[in-house]
Amino acid sequence: ELFVTTLAAVNGASTISLDDPQGNTFTATFVRGDDKTGLALIRVPDKKFTYLALGDNFAGGEVQCSAFPTVAIFSPTPEVLAGHAAPIKPHDPKWLISFPKNPRLGGGPLTTSEGKIVGVEMTQRDSNPQQVPAVKLDDLKAFLAADAPKSAAPGADINYILMVTATVSK
C-alpha cells in the first residue's frame, strides 16, 4: 500500500490519486517526504499491490526505467526505457543516468534486468536525457527504513506502473 514518488509531485497536495493503465483510480495520502533526496512516501489505504524488491547493492551499469516519455495529455502510455547508470561514487550525492529519451516525470523506478529496484530517477520535463539525476539505492533504502519491502512479491511486473496525480489548493 506504500509508493515512492517525488516530493515535488505531492508536496502540499490537497488530494493525491494514482491511475493505472486499466483506468482504475486510487486515492492516496501523504506519509512523509525527504528534502535531501527529494523523495516522498504515499499510501493507498486498505489496498495491496504487487511490488518490486529492492536490490542488494548496485555499483552502476545497465538499468531500465518505467516512464511516460511521450507527451500525451489524454492517454499517457507507460514505456520501459533502457538506460545506463554512471558508476556510483560513495560520497558523491550526484548520480546520473543516461537514457535515449527523457523519462519526463520524476519518480520512476530504476531496475536491473532481474527487476530489482536500484534507484529512482528524478528527471524534470526538460532534463537532458543523457544526464538524468537519480537517487541511489543506499539513499532510497535509508529513506524507506522500516517501510522497505522485505522480499519480492510473486508476479511483480515492471510494466505495471501507476501515474501519480496531485491537486494542490492554495
Side-chain angles (χ1 to χ4, degrees), residues 102-159:
N102 184 359
R104 291 188 45 82
L105 298 173
L110 297 170
T111 61
T112 63
S113 59
E114 295 83 32
K116 299 220 176 190
I117 296 176
V118 294
V120 178
E121 58 85 6
M122 301 297 281
T123 194
Q124 294 183 1
R125 181 177 53 202
D126 297 323
S127 291
N128 177 344
Q130 299 296 309
Q131 297 181 343
V132 172
V135 174
K136 299 180 235 180
L137 177 61
D138 289 344
D139 294 332
L140 174 60
K141 285 181 176 181
F143 170 70
L144 289 172
D147 291 315
K150 305 303 179 235
S151 63
D157 180 6
I158 188 174
N159 294 305

Side-chain angles (χ1 to χ4, degrees), residues 47-86:
K47 179 77 175 138
K48 300 290 183 195
F49 294 86
T50 302
Y51 57 90
L52 298 167
L54 292 171
D56 297 319
N57 55 41
F58 187 70
E62 301 308 309
V63 294
Q64 46 190 351
C65 174
S66 298
F68 293 92
T70 304
V71 177
I73 296 172
F74 298 108
S75 299
T77 303
E79 299 175 38
V80 177
L81 299 176
H84 182 80

